[in-house]
Amino acid sequence: MPMPLTLDTPNRPYVGRFAPSPSGALHFGSLIAALGSYLRARSLGGQWLIRIEDIDPPREVKGAADDILRALEAYGLEWDGAVLYQSQRTEAYQSHIDLLLAQDKAYFCQCSRKLIQSMGGIYDGRCHRASQAKAANVVSSGAVRIVNTAQVQEFDDNLMGHICVDTPFAAEDFIIKRSDGLYAYQLAVVLDDAYQGITEVVRGCDLIEASCRQLSLYQTFGLTAPEWLHLPLACLTPGFKLSKQNHAQAIDKQHPQASLNAALAFLGQRRVETCGSVAQMLKQAVAQFQLSVIPKQAEILIEP
Ligand code: GLU
């Protein structure tokens, strides 16, 4: 079994981030991730960066990226520096893939979803074995999979504690570039968090298991990994987070006070006075912020 990673970020000034996909407007669920990561960063005197994860054009909604930025502004969630757009980073993604392919640390795969289902849903590495054996069925196009030698299976989350995923999931050679030519989230998120010098990733619990894959990629690339802090997800029914896909309502940009206090309460924090500006509200929220009172639950049910 692979050794657990020791996350070591000696004396790096704190840099946090919020990384929305522009697939719809900011809703209460994404406000929690934005506010949680903002409060954590600001309460530690750190920077808070924004990255728009716009590398999946079929899922993108026109105007959503700007709309998200305007909503953050309306809520007083001011970020540092320029916004990074993943669509501007594709050369970096491709050059890292090319390097892995050249070093036999990645390989092409054309296995269908149906075939992978017949393997039990976890890819069994057959295209890698074929390429090593220089077999006649080696393919040089299709999806690109990582040769997952790191197989990170566990890590310590700064809120949820020790996290351990199933061995087959941890060991899978997962996709880093899709067969439709789009870069996979796992690859882009790691290269960008490293590029932006993120020291702690704060986001929703839906991505907690993905952190193991991301840690495997940090090891493969020899990059310093961030720490992790996964927040509870707002769910309408168990197992279904509020999301753009299930048409969660956009947060109200005209009257941010009520939603801000609802998001603070969701995170177990004390409410703040609503008589001043959003900037004053956030200042108070930062001063009162306590990590230890955030519920250590993957999901919290909310009223529709
Ligand atoms: N872009 C992802 C989303 O909107 C979040 C990615 C991350 O925080 O790592 O769900």
Side-chain angles (χ1 to χ4, degrees), residues 27-44:
H27 52 79
F28 186 69
S30 37
L31 175 63
I32 286 159
L35 181 65
S37 59
Y38 174 91
L39 293 176
R40 172 76 167 158
R42 296 301 191 216
S43 67
L44 294 171

Side-chain angles (χ1 to χ4, degrees), residues 49-248:
L49 310 183
I50 299 291
R51 180 171 71 237
I52 298 287
E53 302 211 316
D54 56 347
I55 42 160
D56 193 348
R59 287 189 47 205
E60 194 164 331
V61 170
K62 211 168 169 283
D66 278 346
D67 191 53
I68 290 171
L69 296 177
R70 297 299 81 79
L72 293 173
E73 282 168 355
Y75 278 69
L77 295 163
E78 282 183 19
W79 57 90
D80 295 300
V83 174
L84 183 69
Y85 289 84
Q86 287 194 321
S87 54
Q88 306 292 313
R89 295 264 304 144
T90 53
E91 268 176 41
Y93 307 150
Q94 189 58 49
S95 64
H96 280 81
I97 289 175
D98 290 343
L99 197 70
L100 293 182
L101 285 168
Q103 295 172 337
D104 194 28
K105 290 181 180 168
Y107 58 93
F108 288 104
C109 168
Q110 287 179 1
C111 293
S112 65
R113 204 166 282 178
K114 202 166 153 203
L115 184 57
I116 296 165
Q117 280 313 319
S118 74
M119 299 171 199
I122 296 280
Y123 188 64
D124 67 3
R126 66 182 65 182
C127 287
H128 186 222
R129 288 192 295 280
S131 76
Q132 284 183 312
K134 308 234 176 322
N137 55 346
V138 175
V139 291
S140 52
S141 65
V144 180
R145 290 180 181 273
I146 183 96
V147 181
N148 188 355
T149 44
Q151 305 189 1
V152 175
Q153 190 167 7
E154 48 197 333
F155 68 97
D156 287 317
D157 186 273
N158 287 338
L159 180 65
M160 296 293 167
H162 190 70
I163 302 298
C164 187
V165 300
D166 292 345
T167 308
F169 175 82
E172 186 177 32
D173 287 350
F174 54 89
I175 286 178
I176 54 174
K177 187 174 184 182
R178 292 163 24 177
S179 57
D180 58 9
L182 296 178
Y183 297 96
Y185 156 71
Q186 309 289 2
L187 177 88
V189 74
V190 163
L191 293 179
D192 289 347
D193 281 334
Y195 174 71
Q196 293 189 284
I198 304 302
T199 58
E200 184 183 60
V201 167
V202 180
R203 60 185 173 196
C205 258
D206 50 332
L207 291 166
I208 202 161
E209 295 199 338
S211 307
C212 282
R213 299 202 148 173
Q214 292 166 24
L215 280 165
S216 290
L217 280 176
Y218 280 100
Q219 281 199 10
T220 303
F221 288 123
L223 294 167
T224 305
E227 298 194 26
W228 312 90
L229 195 167
H230 289 84
L231 301 169
L233 292 175
C235 292
L236 292 172
T237 48
F240 291 94
K241 68 161 186 162
L242 262 190
S243 73
K244 295 154 193 161
Q245 283 68 45
N246 63 27
H247 309 293

